[in-house]
Amino acid sequence: MTTKKDMKQGWMSRRDLAKLLGIGGAAIAAGLPEKVFAQTRRNTLVIGIDISDCVTLDPARQAQYSTPMSLLAAYDMLVTMSPGDYITIRPSLATSWARTPDGKGWRFTLRENVKFASGNVMTAEDVKWSMERVLRLGDQTSQYISHVERTEVVDAKTVDIILKDPTQPLLTIIAAPGFPVYDRKVVEAQGGDASMDAKTKDKATTWLNENSAGTGAYRITRWERNQQIQFVRNDNHWRGKPPFERIIIRHIGDSAAQLLSIRRGDIDIAFNLIPEQVSTIKADPNLRLEALTSLDFVYMALTENPEFNKALAVKEARQAIGQAIDYDGIIKNLLGGAAVRCANFLPIGVSGSTEAIAKEVGYSQNLDKAKQLLQKAGLADGFEFDIAYGNAAIAGVTYQTLAQKIQADLARVNIRAKLTPMDQVNLRTTFTGNRAQGGVLTFWNPPAVENLLWAAASVERVARRVHWKVTPDVLKLVRDAAAETDAKKQADLWVEYQKRVVDQANYFILFQPIYQVAARSHLGKLPLTAAGWMLDMHDVKPASA
């Protein structure tokens, strides 16, 4: 155990280092001398967060909630967004961009002398190969850029991305961590493939789950599911030397454990505190809170497949569920007021979605109306259905607590909800495999800040998960809204889209969290973002930096 004398001399015990690294770090610590310099801790940033949803660290294959934060630490994209500004596209690996001469795509001028963590120099061929790998792997990320026709190398520092439909957005989409520039040589050496047969030939994901091949500020060196993700500094980073030698993301699913850890100094940042714990932070001089209204939301999806549940196949029965939920109680009592709520799949803060529109268009609790809808559905005595959810927490609230609240709300109109907790991975497999038997409590975080991605998902792949056969006029409405260049007309189209989806009653938005993140006072202001990756780790710095 480290003594006061040891600490004065700059030493840290092997036991204390193991505690810092978490369960999976014990083996690492065991191989070190009994004492290491305490400087190790000062040069290490430790983040506590629930990462139970993380199933891969391959950017082209990820579709989870917590993972993008890790990916942004290890990779860069051609363009990016600054925290708090979700409209302006900023330079990253591309210094400038413009429409191609024929107007069919975008031309990017690449930043010169950028090196990957391996030391290899980034080239236009790396950019082309990276875009092609994402497209040809055919995972969820590829769907966001399905309108990309091809990528062309113009010259050593210029790349064109040609679109099938030039009216559809691109820049906002490829600013997300799912579209990095890979170190082609390194990934190919690990079985990476970007050919037309990449879906079957690519074998790089296993390696990319424990390593990274990007230009980002840090390099992934270890991932242990439900335990930790470790990073080391990328000394080749083009923005300059990052402030920390190491970063450790520790999986801490329990909010009380996060609170204890940040108070003791075992972690520097805590993401999943509940309201009661947040209030105690304010009295601790070593800690502070930072808040950010997210673009994420938690929602319940309902199947309408009569083979799974005959009652849910009736729209009025689903609408009755929407009218029975106490949304205000969820936000006030479970989240301490630290949330807003959008009408449907467009979060408040984007085109066509405001709190006023949400109140006008979205559901609110009305038990009398819920009972009337049940009578109209021929279900005056109510019905039963399952609600599946993951054994995890989001915005400091466990899905189980949320499910129990909804169960109690629905019971007031004799709708009987049977709760079915599941491992996060099993839940995702069931939901994305279109096999959810009733309701599913889950999250949505932006793959990129682009209305089309939210809306298109709701009427395409998520619609398939709930067995909603979307009519052509709704699909056209979404595409027309995305292509509209007049801001007022576009907002009106997005409002109309929300009205249609609310009426369909397959999705009920429960809350859009205002994140309250605890940080130790030795850190400077956190670069929190609502853009889908929560935190830009490159810009997390000591307060004195």
Side-chain angles (χ1 to χ4, degrees), residues 290-456:
E290 297 196 21
L292 174 78
T293 301
S294 73
L295 295 178
D296 312 334
F297 51 81
V298 174
Y299 70 107
M300 181 165 67
L302 289 179
T303 187
E304 61 175 82
N305 186 343
E307 295 181 9
F308 294 160
N309 189 301
K310 290 182 179 179
L312 293 179
V314 181
K315 183 168 73 171
E316 288 79 8
R318 300 194 304 272
Q319 290 175 334
I321 290 173
Q323 297 290 173
I325 296 173
D326 177 18
Y327 305 97
D328 291 342
I330 289 172
I331 292 175
K332 180 180 178 181
N333 299 323
L334 300 188
L335 291 123
V340 294
R341 187 168 67 89
C342 51
N344 214 272
F345 244 67
L346 296 180
I348 288 171
V350 302
S351 175
S353 183
T354 65
E355 291 193 63
I357 290 170
K359 289 179 181 178
E360 175 189 345
V361 173
Y363 284 98
S364 59
Q365 188 181 50
N366 186 327
L367 299 181
D368 289 338
K369 189 171 183 179
K371 292 174 183 177
Q372 292 169 10
L373 286 163
L374 287 173
Q375 287 186 333
K376 188 175 180 181
L379 297 163
D381 293 330
F383 62 93
E384 183 175 301
F385 77 108
D386 292 345
I387 299 179
Y389 55 90
N391 291 316
I394 185 167
V397 177
T398 66
Y399 283 108
Q400 177 158 319
T401 300
L402 185 60
Q404 290 170 339
K405 166 62 175 167
I406 294 171
Q407 182 185 50
D409 292 343
L410 298 181
R412 297 179 68 183
V413 294
N414 205 29
I415 297 175
R416 299 171 296 281
K418 178 184 175 184
L419 305 188
T420 309
M422 304 174 70
D423 174 81
Q424 281 282 79
V425 175
N426 291 338
L427 178 73
R428 174 169 173 75
T429 301
T430 300
F431 188 38
T432 59
N434 310 334
R435 300 193 304 273
Q437 302 291 304
V440 174
L441 292 181
T442 187
F443 66 90
W444 192 268
N445 68 322
V449 184
E450 172 52 56
N451 276 33
L452 177 61
L453 296 189
W454 282 292

Side-chain angles (χ1 to χ4, degrees), residues 14-315:
R14 188 168 58 200
R15 180 185 299 176
D16 288 344
L17 181 61
K19 183 173 66 174
L20 165 66
L21 295 175
I23 296 171
I28 298 173
L32 296 174
E34 178 58 32
K35 295 180 179 179
V36 294
F37 281 111
Q39 184 68 27
T40 301
R41 179 64 181 94
R42 291 198 294 272
N43 289 340
T44 301
L45 174 70
V46 185
I47 298 171
I49 186 172
D50 187 327
I51 56 170
S52 59
D53 66 321
C54 181
V55 295
T56 182
L57 291 172
D58 183 345
R61 296 190 186 276
Q62 87 81 28
Q64 299 302 309
Y65 182 77
S66 66
T67 311
M69 180 169 66
S70 294
L71 297 181
L72 190 72
Y75 296 91
D76 294 305
M77 296 70 68
L78 289 174
V79 295
T80 190
M81 293 179 176
S82 297
D85 182 354
Y86 312 118
I87 297 174
T88 308
I89 302 298
R90 307 281 185 186
S92 184
L93 296 181
T95 56
S96 62
W97 50 92
R99 284 287 188 177
T100 53
D102 61 7
K104 294 182 178 180
W106 289 91
R107 175 163 291 178
F108 298 88
T109 300
L110 304 182
R111 189 177 300 277
E112 296 186 63
N113 301 317
V114 172
K115 289 184 178 181
F116 292 102
S118 68
N120 294 332
V121 176
M122 183 190 74
T123 68
E125 291 292 342
D126 289 309
V127 176
K128 180 177 186 293
W129 187 89
S130 299
M131 185 64 67
E132 289 174 346
R133 181 174 185 266
V134 172
L135 270 171
R136 293 169 181 173
L137 282 179
D139 263 289
Q140 184 168 309
T141 308
S142 69
Q143 298 175 34
Y144 308 145
I145 53 169
S146 59
H147 58 303
V148 171
E149 182 177 298
R150 66 186 185 277
T151 305
E152 297 178 343
V153 173
V154 177
D155 56 42
K157 63 175 184 176
T158 310
V159 174
D160 287 351
I161 298 179
I162 308 302
L163 306 179
K164 300 172 186 175
D165 180 358
T167 68
Q168 297 301 301
L170 177 71
L171 300 179
T172 49
I173 297 173
I174 64 172
F179 305 95
V181 178
Y182 292 99
D183 187 336
R184 176 180 179 176
K185 292 179 181 177
V186 169
V187 180
E188 280 190 327
Q190 300 298 329
D193 192 281
S195 71
M196 298 302 292
D197 298 321
K199 193 173 183 68
T200 56
K201 287 186 176 180
D202 187 275
K203 308 298 180 186
T205 297
T206 300
W207 185 84
L208 288 169
N209 282 343
E210 294 203 3
N211 303 272
S212 55
T215 61
Y218 296 91
R219 177 170 58 85
I220 296 169
T221 59
R222 187 183 185 92
W223 171 46
E224 295 174 275
R225 177 156 157 66
N226 288 339
Q227 291 186 25
Q228 63 178 322
I229 305 171
Q230 293 188 24
F231 306 77
V232 297
R233 182 162 58 201
N234 173 14
D235 290 328
N236 293 319
H237 189 51
W238 56 273
R239 286 194 285 176
K241 184 178 179 180
F244 295 99
E245 291 181 3
R246 297 166 54 83
I247 293 179
I248 301 168
I249 295 180
R250 288 183 56 188
H251 169 63
I252 307 178
D254 181 70
S255 62
Q258 283 195 27
L259 179 63
L260 178 62
S261 294
I262 197 166
R263 279 182 165 165
R264 292 192 314 196
D266 294 339
I267 64 175
D268 302 299
I269 303 172
F271 270 91
N272 302 116
L273 302 182
I274 62 175
E276 292 84 351
Q277 295 162 345
V278 165
S279 63
T280 68
I281 296 292
K282 299 172 183 177
D284 191 325
N286 296 312
L287 303 175
R288 71 173 189 278
L289 286 171
E290 297 196 21
L292 174 78
T293 301
S294 73
L295 295 178
D296 312 334
F297 51 81
V298 174
Y299 70 107
M300 181 165 67
L302 289 179
T303 187
E304 61 175 82
N305 186 343
E307 295 181 9
F308 294 160
N309 189 301
K310 290 182 179 179
L312 293 179
V314 181
K315 183 168 73 171

